[in-house]
Amino acid sequence: MTPDNPTSEKHYLRLRHNVQHRLSLVPILGWLLGALLAVILEQLAGDYLVDALDMDKMPSLLGILAIAKDIKYFLWQGWDQLVIIGKMFAGGAFSGVVSVPDPFQTPRVLLYVFLVYFLPIALFGTLTIRPANWMADKLSKLPSAVSVIGYLILLYLVMHIWADMSAYRGMALRFTLIAVMLTLSLNVINGYMGEFSCSHPGFMALGAYGASVVTVVLFANDKLFGAALLPKFLAPAFFPLALVVGGAVASFGALLIAVPSFRTRGDYLAIISLAFLFIVKSLIENLEIVGGPRGLKGQPDLASLPVVFTWAVLCIWTINNFVRSTLGKALNAVRDDEVAANAMTVNTRRTKMTAFLFGAFWAGVAGGLFAHVLRYVNPATFGLQKLAEVLAMVYFGGLNSVYGSIVGAVSISLLSEALRPFELFKWVIIPLLLILVMIYRPTGLIAFREFDVRSVLKPKQNPESEV
Amino acid sequence: MRKALYVVLACVVLSLILSPCAWGRAKAIKIGINAPLTGDIPKVGEGTRYAAEMWKADIDAAGGLKVGKKKYPVELYIEDNESKAESAVRANTKLITDDEVLVIVGPQSSKQAVPAGEVANNWKTPMISPWSTNPDTTKDRPYVFRGCFLDPFQGPVLANFITEEFGFKKAAVLYDVASDYPKGLAEFFKEAWEKLHGRGSVVAFESFTTKDVDFSSQLNKIRNSGAQVLFTPQYYNEVALIVQQANSKGIKMPIVGSDSWGSAETVELCGEDCYGLFFSTHYAAAGAKGATKAFIDRYEKKYGYIPDDVGALTWDALRLVQSAIESCGKLTGRIEKDRKCVRNALAKIKKFDGITGNMTFTEEGDPIKCAVIVRISEKGEYEFFKSVCP
């Protein structure tokens, strides 16, 4: 902006203010409907747009992958150039110039994402403020179960149509939802209860093997367990049972370690739980009946997107209710001062035990889903690396917060998928981000925030008032 | 702020105008590589990538891959599987459904190849794992192949070799119980040995766990068991520890290994203690002739070290893919049809002349090929000793 043109400056500020104001008036319903419109648009016109923009294919994962690929190309090229220039100064001959990757995707991908996602969502959201708020208001007057289910169906539709376009998107989405469940269940222990537990991959492994054994014994012709006991069409009906069995096995494991370890405090739980992780791993490695180190394969293909979505929603719902209940508040009290909580008639031992088993249960269910998405489990998967991953998601997103866990799990999953092209440097970038978060927000991005579904879904504007 | 927006917009428009046009590009053949570039075994990933890049350089120099009368350029899609099962599955899904590759080469280790093979088979995409020796990788999967022999073959080969060469009757085995490859091979060896010499002829069957570094109690047992030979199918880092500890305990019996010894690191870490020992593998670098020698020399010149078996096997896998695509005759451009064609061509390959030996494929996707017994020479080189064929 030039200083002799103050009107344009003012104009611009007012415009920005207006846009911000209008965006703040859009209810969640508006955004969801906008997203639905966007994915339908992509479904219908995506291929034409890909052709018109002369792209290779639809950008998956919102184009981040393609952009990362181009960035990598330029960085690597840049490095080569530096080497060449260095050689030139050292007396070598100049050879080679920076070339553009063929085909160079970034601008086209950006345009695609802008046209397909950004524009429809923003336009739809801002243009339908009044009707969307009116509808949100009507929905909020219904019983909350009905309106929430309505919203969830809408959300699922968006995900389904989006994931329908390539199996890779569906796979990434399912793994992300499972990561959300895992992160949330660890947050119950590490965040809400304030203990540092390292046994989460162990619970996950117990759940994965528990659920796999049930489904493989019942529905798969397997060389370890023999022929299927039940016909295949019953499998979807038994799958919830298998997952609950997995969760129960994990809870039982949690009980075994809780009894001795809750006599100790702080660091000792961390050490004991770490030991538990290794015990579980060695146990499975030496159990020939479930395949030992070779792993167990042959799980039927049961963990489709709707199934994973339903379980993820169930998990978020129950954990959110749990941490907002009296028991959850008691848990926070125990974390802040166990002695004081005890004096205030909180049964600290029982509270801690319940929360620990509860967290382990959901980790087990997530493990069961994981095994059925992968359709193969081996003990090596559930080692220290998995632990580091889950812990990173919890601490990145934020302690003591359902919001935070969702944000942490989604962002780390998305990042680790999108930064694939950087290979080794991916493991520099993500930890670096984590360090930055720890420095500037020591408790994570969104910590200590309550997740109140009703306030999230409520209309952002009184329908009677003027826009 | 607004200025920046204009600049970005202008850039977008400009680059759109300047970008190459669709009809200027020939439709390329896409090959996916699923390799452990990061994680536990990055050296394996590196060998895979280098072999693949050498292969691509060859194709580029020839002006493309000739199918029928047309020459197609080749694009490599190299994905990192982080040496993790779930990541290998994601990488395969991405390669198949997002990048729409024609064939996948990789993953190398069985723990990734077994679940990744499931994905490839479900999507009817031919996949060839150069290094995975687990029978489950290709079992009941028409679209999954491998480039190496299997453990049930390698176990008897070693048992026969020891019996014929040394005339021993009693053997000891030391293996990692937590890792699927050593465990499987140890069991196959035991089975084969007992078939030759009767029950109880494996006098010590000792195990340890991954990352163990002290083997003295196991080695004491082995020494006292009266075994004449020790078989240990371990990876290079453990081999060095086991052999050195055995020598320092005065164990004089020969120690025999399997193809996991084949890394260049084995001799580096183990030093003189390993000289004179035998192991079975896919190819012998020292004293190689013909195409094998040409490959080794080229690789060493370009990357500075002698390729280990992973590099050679990956090279062979890519050459197999190449010959399958070529014998396809014609690419329709419809990916499902082309994949099926390549799959059928792969299954029909007879007497393929690879640098790791001749290969003939069976309908199960496993090659019939010879194993090589290698002796570690007094100079620390892997010398060809003899070749054992099925």
Side-chain angles (χ1 to χ4, degrees):
Chain A
M1 290 324 130
T2 42
D4 55 8
N5 193 1
T7 48
S8 119
E9 171 87 336
K10 224 189 266 165
H11 211 77
Y12 169 68
L13 279 176
R14 202 164 62 211
L15 186 76
R16 201 169 83 168
H17 176 80
N18 270 345
V19 168
Q20 270 174 356
H21 176 67
R22 280 189 78 87
L23 287 182
S24 72
L25 290 177
V26 180
I28 289 289
L29 186 67
W31 293 129
L32 270 180
L33 287 172
L36 188 63
L37 180 78
V39 290
I40 291 175
L41 203 72
E42 187 179 24
Q43 177 88 299
L44 295 177
D47 283 327
Y48 298 108
L49 196 58
V50 165
D51 284 344
L53 290 176
D54 183 28
M55 302 195 321
D56 282 349
K57 60 189 180 212
M58 267 185 208
S60 42
L61 307 182
L62 307 176
I64 309 174
L65 208 58
I67 295 170
K69 223 174 190 167
D70 281 348
I71 293 176
K72 176 200 163 187
Y73 187 90
F74 275 113
L75 287 180
W76 268 228
Q77 275 276 317
W79 176 248
D80 284 350
Q81 291 306 305
L82 281 183
V83 172
I84 289 170
I85 292 169
K87 273 188 190 153
M88 216 165 67
F89 278 111
F94 182 79
S95 59
V97 280
V98 177
S99 65
V100 172
D102 176 45
F104 182 49
Q105 294 282 323
T106 301
R108 279 171 277 188
V109 167
L110 282 176
L111 194 63
Y112 180 93
V113 171
F114 179 78
L115 285 178
V116 169
Y117 298 112
F118 188 77
L119 206 63
I121 295 177
L123 275 183
F124 188 88
T126 44
L127 289 180
T128 59
I129 287 179
R130 275 173 72 103
N133 272 313
W134 179 80
M135 263 172 80
D137 187 53
K138 283 277 175 275
L139 275 173
S140 69
K141 288 193 177 107
L142 291 172
S144 61
V146 176
S147 64
V148 167
I149 287 174
Y151 277 105
L152 285 176
I153 290 174
L154 206 57
L155 178 64
Y156 176 72
L157 270 180
V158 172
M159 285 184 176
H160 184 93
I161 298 172
W162 183 76
D164 206 29
M165 274 170 274
S166 100
Y168 174 54
R169 290 182 181 183
M171 181 73 80
L173 195 56
R174 281 187 286 169
F175 276 122
T176 307
L177 286 171
I178 291 170
V180 168
M181 294 173 72
L182 268 178
T183 312
L184 208 51
S185 60
L186 184 61
N187 209 342
V188 171
I189 300 167
N190 282 28
Y192 288 93
M193 191 161 86
E195 298 282 3
F196 196 89
S197 161
C198 298
S199 48
H200 233 57
F203 298 145
M204 198 182 160
L206 288 175
Y209 271 90
S212 297
V213 165
V214 172
T215 54
V216 170
V217 165
L218 291 181
F219 302 107
N221 296 317
D222 184 80
K223 65 168 185 238
L224 294 168
F225 299 110
L229 296 177
L230 291 172
K232 259 228 154 86
F233 67 89
L234 282 174
F238 275 83
F239 190 47
L241 180 80
L243 288 179
V244 171
V245 168
V249 173
S251 280
F252 181 70
L255 188 67
L256 289 185
I257 107 162
V259 171
S261 64
F262 282 173
R263 294 181 187 282
T264 64
R265 281 186 190 196
D267 300 345
Y268 298 101
L269 179 69
I271 294 165
I272 293 176
S273 58
L274 194 61
F276 177 76
L277 169 61
F278 287 114
I279 292 171
V280 169
K281 202 166 156 263
S282 312
L283 183 76
I284 299 171
E285 274 163 359
N286 287 288
L287 269 183
E288 269 315 307
I289 184 78
V290 291
R294 288 221 146 163
L296 181 60
K297 78 165 189 153
Q299 287 88 340
D301 192 9
L302 294 169
S304 53
L305 185 59
V307 174
V308 178
F309 179 78
T310 313
W311 280 95
V313 167
L314 261 178
C315 171
I316 295 172
W317 182 56
T318 47
I319 289 184
N320 194 35
N321 278 356
F322 177 79
V323 297
R324 283 156 54 100
S325 67
T326 322
L327 204 59
K329 298 298 162 204
L331 200 58
N332 277 353
V334 170
R335 175 194 61 202
D336 293 338
D337 192 332
E338 198 166 336
V339 178
N342 205 4
M344 301 302 283
T345 73
V346 173
N347 185 342
T348 55
R349 200 173 155 70
R350 217 198 72 193
T351 310
K352 280 162 70 176
M353 208 76 131
T354 316
F356 198 63
L357 264 61
F358 185 67
F361 174 82
W362 280 111
V365 172
L369 285 169
F370 179 83
H372 285 81
V373 173
L374 206 57
R375 301 182 66 194
Y376 168 81
V377 271
N378 69 339
T381 308
F382 307 104
L384 282 177
Q385 203 180 359
K386 193 100 225 154
L387 175 68
E389 237 168 71
V390 189
L391 282 175
M393 286 176 189
V394 170
Y395 288 92
F396 187 82
L399 289 173
N400 210 84
S401 141
V402 173
Y403 261 137
S405 289
I406 297 172
V407 168
V410 171
S411 46
I412 296 271
S413 305
L414 199 66
L415 266 179
S416 70
E417 204 56 40
L419 296 180
R420 257 178 188 290
F422 292 111
E423 288 159 21
L424 194 60
F425 290 91
K426 179 170 125 182
W427 302 113
V428 177
I429 299 169
I430 295 178
L432 208 63
L433 271 178
L434 202 62
I435 292 172
L436 288 178
V437 167
M438 287 299 105
I439 290 173
Y440 293 104
R441 295 186 77 103
T443 48
L445 284 179
I446 310 172
F448 299 97
R449 177 103 64 89
E450 279 212 351
F451 182 57
D452 183 359
V453 179
R454 235 159 285 167
S455 81
V456 171
L457 300 182
K458 73 168 193 277
K460 294 288 162 61
Q461 177 199 39
N462 196 341
E464 274 75 47
S465 77
E466 273 307 303
V467 178
Chain B
M1 180 70 197
R2 201 163 47 158
K3 230 180 208 164
L5 201 72
Y6 283 145
V7 172
V8 168
L9 251 173
C11 282
V12 169
V13 172
L14 255 177
S15 57
L16 276 178
I17 294 166
L18 293 177
S19 66
C21 303
W23 46 84
R25 295 202 304 266
K27 204 80 174 148
I29 294 176
K30 298 173 180 175
I31 311 277
I33 310 275
N34 188 339
L37 300 172
T38 63
D40 293 338
I41 42 172
K43 203 80 187 160
V44 170
E46 190 185 85
T48 314
R49 156 183 294 200
Y50 285 168
E53 281 172 355
M54 264 172 66
W55 178 76
K56 183 169 187 297
D58 270 10
I59 299 289
D60 287 349
L65 200 65
K66 201 167 172 202
V67 187
K69 289 194 181 68
K70 235 169 123 187
K71 274 194 174 174
Y72 292 85
V74 165
E75 278 174 28
L76 288 182
Y77 284 77
I78 302 178
E79 283 293 333
D80 177 20
N81 64 32
E82 301 160 26
S83 192
K84 288 195 298 196
E86 75 259 37
S87 202
V89 165
R90 284 194 214 195
N92 253 21
T93 313
K94 175 177 183 294
L95 288 170
I96 295 169
T97 66
D98 204 57
D99 298 326
E100 297 191 323
V101 297
L102 186 59
V103 195
I104 292 173
V105 173
Q108 303 287 11
S109 320
S110 295
K111 68 176 176 194
Q112 288 119 40
V114 173
E118 180 74 32
V119 176
N121 197 48
N122 283 346
W123 286 97
K124 297 201 180 341
T125 304
M127 172 182 126
I128 173 160
S129 170
W131 204 46
S132 162
T133 48
N134 187 333
D136 277 345
T137 306
T138 54
K139 199 161 172 265
D140 301 327
R141 290 171 178 168
Y143 277 85
V144 184
F145 299 83
R146 80 176 86 221
C148 55
F149 49 71
L150 281 83
D151 295 344
F153 169 68
Q154 195 177 181
V157 161
L158 282 161
N160 289 334
F161 164 73
I162 296 169
T163 310
E164 284 166 19
E165 192 64 30
F166 302 112
F168 291 153
K169 295 259 183 304
K170 288 176 181 169
V173 179
L174 177 60
Y175 69 99
D176 178 358
V177 73
S179 186
D180 68 346
Y181 164 79
K183 184 164 185 289
L185 193 50
E187 279 160 5
F188 287 121
F189 176 82
K190 183 172 183 235
E191 197 182 297
W193 188 263
E194 295 195 329
K195 217 182 211 169
L196 287 171
H197 303 284
R199 281 186 75 83
S201 54
V202 174
V203 286
F205 198 62
E206 296 299 316
S207 66
F208 61 93
T209 307
T210 318
K211 296 204 169 77
D212 277 4
V213 287
D214 182 16
F215 307 99
S216 34
S217 74
Q218 289 98 327
L219 287 170
N220 279 337
K221 271 192 202 159
I222 289 166
R223 186 173 53 187
N224 299 334
S225 69
Q228 294 161 304
V229 59
L230 170 60
F231 173 60
T232 182
Q234 288 310 126
Y235 293 103
Y236 55 84
N237 41 3
E238 291 138 347
V239 170
L241 293 169
I242 292 169
V243 173
Q244 283 165 354
Q245 286 177 25
N247 280 0
S248 71
K249 279 188 180 303
I251 295 179
K252 288 282 182 308
M253 64 180 98
I255 300 174
V256 176
S258 60
D259 66 306
S260 53
W261 283 35
S263 164
E265 304 276 309
T266 309
V267 173
E268 203 128 299
L269 293 171
C270 187
E272 288 185 19
D273 289 305
C274 276
Y275 292 177
L277 299 183
F278 293 93
F279 64 92
S280 66
T281 186
H282 308 276
Y283 89 122
K289 289 189 271 299
T292 316
K293 185 167 169 22
F295 168 76
I296 292 168
D297 289 348
R298 242 180 92 192
Y299 189 102
E300 198 186 0
K301 197 172 158 217
K302 193 152 184 204
Y303 302 113
Y305 63 94
I306 292 175
D308 40 29
D309 51 355
V310 178
L313 287 168
T314 308
W315 174 266
D316 266 358
L318 282 160
R319 292 269 321 285
L320 278 168
V321 164
Q322 181 183 348
S323 93
I325 295 175
E326 279 169 353
S327 65
C328 218
K330 191 170 146 246
L331 290 182
T332 56
R334 288 214 305 283
I335 195 83
E336 288 84 17
K337 219 171 161 190
D338 291 341
R339 282 172 179 167
K340 193 159 192 273
C341 177
V342 172
R343 187 262 148 201
N344 290 338
L346 265 175
K348 279 196 209 97
I349 284 178
K350 293 264 178 306
K351 284 229 170 355
F352 174 81
D353 187 22
I355 58 171
T356 59
N358 280 335
M359 283 180 242
T360 297
F361 272 95
T362 59
E363 194 53 33
E364 286 83 59
D366 301 325
I368 301 165
K369 67 190 284 192
C370 304
V372 174
I373 305 283
V374 159
R375 181 176 177 273
I376 303 177
S377 74
E378 268 64 46
K379 278 186 279 176
E381 282 175 334
Y382 295 158
E383 261 177 9
F384 175 85
F385 189 75
K386 73 190 272 197
S387 153
V388 184
C389 293

